[in-house]
Amino acid sequence: MEPMLSIKNMVKRFGGLVAVNDVSLDVYPGEVVALLGDNGAGKSTLIKCVSGVYHADEGEVYFEGQLVRFSRPIEARRHGIETIYQDLALANNLDVGSNIFLGREVKKRYLGGLIRTLDNDFMLQQSQMALDSLGIHFPDLTQPIESLSGGQRQAVAIARAVYWDAKLMIMDEPTNNLGVPEQRKVLDTIRTLRERGVPIILISHTLPDIFAVSDRLIVMHRGRKVTEKKISETNTQEIVQYMVGALDDTREQ
Amino acid sequence: MISRVWAWAFLGSLIIFFVISVQITTDGRVNFLTIRNSQNILVAITPVLLLGLGQTLVIIGAGIDLSVGWVMSLASVLSALALRAAFNSGLPLFLSVVIGFLAAVVGAGFVGFLNGVIIAKLKVPAFIVTLGSSFIVRGVALLLSENTTVIGLPRGVRNYGNDALIYWIQGEGGGLYFLKRPDVTGDLLRRMNIILPYPVVLTAIVVGIIVFVLRKTQFGRHTYAIGGNLEAALRTGIPVDRHLISLYVLSSVTAGIAGFLSTLRFTAGSAVIGDALLLSSIAAVIIGGVSLFGGAGTVMGTVIGSLIIAVLTTGLVMLNVQAFWQFIVVGTVVILAVLIDQSRDLIIGRMNTG
Ligand SMILES: Nc1ncnc2c1ncn2[C@@H]1O[C@H](COP(=O)(O)OP(=O)(O)O)[C@@H](O)[C@H]1O
Ligand SMILES: [Mg+2]
């Protein structure tokens, strides 16, 4: 099977600091790949080089077999790579429907397109469907989302990605800053997505979560990829040792 | 979004207060709530409201436009010069007025375009860009007007600026100006009320258009999104730079319309007519509940804000209160308005988390 996403020998430097050092990885259709590592290991930088926020200094990215180079995040989105950022990229002053359709609003046309108004009913109904399909229920979709909880906002961000047919979903610490019940909700959502065959790169610190939802995991340490394992072939103790640098597959033992 | 119930209530109480106190202080000889006075108030708010409308758009988008007052002055001069030149070259009056309008709008729009490009593309803070352009625009307006009022406009211009949709003569009946101008003098003229003067009608149309744009169109949605979370707007592919430029163009254009209307009203162009209006326009916007942080606010809020300022000013004048008290009162209302909004946000915030 061909990988959906293929990163080859990626390097990203910030001045003298090598934040991502010669990392390669593949993501296949329908799998959840976890990306782990201590703070500052280079996880966020790596995925930002994929999603068009940063530009890699070296290396290539192949998406669906094609060599791609995104100069802006929107180009990655247009290809179907949706990123759920830690800060979510939602407009808190707008309601759920407005956020799910942000930048891609649906319009009604009058006078042969001379006057175009927002089709709020349609967007609301579609948003409801997108949320329903993920098993998420809000009492009122027309409230500005600043009135929602962190987990509910997370759900909106995920529903947005799903609605726009994400072919690859990248989640950077999606359960950060959430209460325990809400973390569980997000994990449920990740499982739902996986069942639908949407591949996911999941960045997280929480080992039990990762073991609960991932198929494969990759550990980074100081910019380098130090191991890659199937979940069934490893355990939390071993992974912790990789994370702190005690184990390293690239090093002569 | 933000409800302005208290602002409406405040406006209502202000009117009641002035009705009663004007009655008392004049022993019942003067009535605050006459047709004439209400129309005067409406005419008085048009410049502040027009500047406030552009300001509302810009501030919802998390910007600020300090140049609106001086852009209005420039537009007044430009429209007077263009109108005069057109008429002197033999064009009919109506066409000359249209050319005056275009000169005001295009000239002002050009200033807004430059503001927007420097802010959006060169990333200079809006406060600084529009502060600088205020000075430049002021200089240009004074240069063009040769430091005096631009006069010599055709006499008929006066009618465009001072006629109304409807006239009403007590005991005689009324009619529509554009069907037949009432030709009256003396006692009849004193008894004649004019309802909805043309500047008010034009301003109301602009209000309607901007309400529509903000509430119903993608442009409006993007304005709130950019003001609410610029980063989110960028990542979702909203053309932020282009949008910001449009906002500053619109802000200048509404100021340009205000300048054009002042030229019609006074049959003259003035390079200083808008000088004092910047602060009033921002005050109207803030009383109306537009957040200076961006992302929140409505046009109707700004309309109420302008009305409150105009009612206050007119009422205090009718009470023979010395003019500088107006400033003290308006300033107090601005600060109170923000305090009320903040305490309400606090209460609502507590309800959500509690
Ligand atoms: N924009 C930036 N400029 C300079 N250094 C950066 C920048 N972004 C990240 N870094 C540095 O790169 C390293 C990797 O950071 P990051 O990718 O955020 O790690 P992680 O997400 O794994 O915690 C850190 O040392 C961090 O300080
Ligand atoms: Mg990170």
Side-chain angles (χ1 to χ4, degrees), chain A residues 73-74 77-78 85 87 89-91 93-94 98 102-105 107 115-118 120 123 147 160, chain B residues 1 212 215-218 221-222 224-225 227-229 231-238 294-296 352:
Chain A
I74 186 66
R77 285 190 77 202
R78 291 199 178 112
Y85 295 94
D87 56 11
L90 298 173
N93 56 333
L94 300 179
S98 306
L102 198 60
R104 306 177 187 178
E105 290 81 3
K107 285 162 281 182
I115 294 177
R116 280 170 291 177
T117 62
L118 293 169
N120 285 321
M123 290 191 275
S147 64
R160 174 164 75 187
Chain B
M1 228 162 255
F212 175 80
R215 291 175 54 163
K216 298 287 179 193
T217 70
Q218 185 177 43
R221 178 72 42 91
H222 287 179
Y224 283 103
N229 186 347
E231 198 54 40
L234 282 167
R235 287 195 209 152
T236 48
I238 293 174
N352 280 343

Side-chain angles (χ1 to χ4, degrees), chain B residues 57 60-62 214 218-228 243 247 295:
Chain B
L57 288 170
I60 290 175
L214 270 180
Q218 185 177 43
F219 188 89
R221 178 72 42 91
H222 287 179
T223 305
Y224 283 103
I226 289 171
H243 197 95
L247 289 179

Side-chain angles (χ1 to χ4, degrees), chain A residues 91-111:
Chain A
N92 286 339
N93 56 333
L94 300 179
D95 64 19
V96 174
S98 306
N99 268 292
I100 287 181
F101 285 85
L102 198 60
R104 306 177 187 178
E105 290 81 3
V106 177
K107 285 162 281 182
K108 285 185 284 197
R109 299 157 65 87
Y110 299 96
L111 304 178

Side-chain angles (χ1 to χ4, degrees), chain B residues 306-328:
Chain B
S306 309
L307 275 171
I308 287 177
I309 292 178
V311 167
L312 264 176
T313 323
T314 319
L316 293 175
V317 168
M318 290 179 81
L319 287 178
N320 273 326
V321 176
Q322 275 172 298
F324 47 73
W325 279 102
Q326 294 166 21
F327 299 122
I328 296 171

Side-chain angles (χ1 to χ4, degrees), chain A residues 62-191:
Chain A
Y62 291 85
F63 188 64
E64 297 183 298
Q66 300 283 315
L67 180 66
V68 289
R69 231 189 113 73
F70 305 123
S71 54
R72 290 182 306 144
I74 186 66
E75 290 175 20
R77 285 190 77 202
R78 291 199 178 112
H79 276 77
I81 300 178
E82 293 277 352
T83 309
I84 312 291
Y85 295 94
Q86 269 165 285
D87 56 11
L88 297 182
L90 298 173
N92 286 339
N93 56 333
L94 300 179
D95 64 19
V96 174
S98 306
N99 268 292
I100 287 181
F101 285 85
L102 198 60
R104 306 177 187 178
E105 290 81 3
V106 177
K107 285 162 281 182
K108 285 185 284 197
R109 299 157 65 87
Y110 299 96
L111 304 178
L114 192 66
I115 294 177
R116 280 170 291 177
T117 62
L118 293 169
D119 193 344
N120 285 321
D121 293 339
F122 177 80
M123 290 191 275
L124 190 67
Q125 174 221 334
Q126 293 290 307
S127 305
Q128 187 79 63
M129 276 170 50
L131 289 167
D132 284 348
S133 76
L134 293 171
I136 300 160
H137 303 286
F138 293 160
D140 184 1
L141 290 190
T142 61
Q143 288 287 312
I145 63 166
E146 61 204 348
S147 64
L148 300 180
S149 71
Q152 288 172 320
R153 282 184 223 180
Q154 186 71 255
V156 174
I158 294 173
R160 174 164 75 187
V162 171
Y163 181 80
W164 292 103
D165 282 331
K167 290 183 194 153
L168 170 71
M169 194 103 112
I170 300 174
M171 299 187 182
D172 194 348
E173 312 214 26
T175 54
N176 238 16
N177 310 322
L178 296 185
V180 174
E182 301 214 295
Q183 293 184 8
R184 215 163 274 144
K185 266 252 169 239
V186 172
L187 293 180
D188 287 344
T189 311
I190 291 173
R191 282 197 201 91

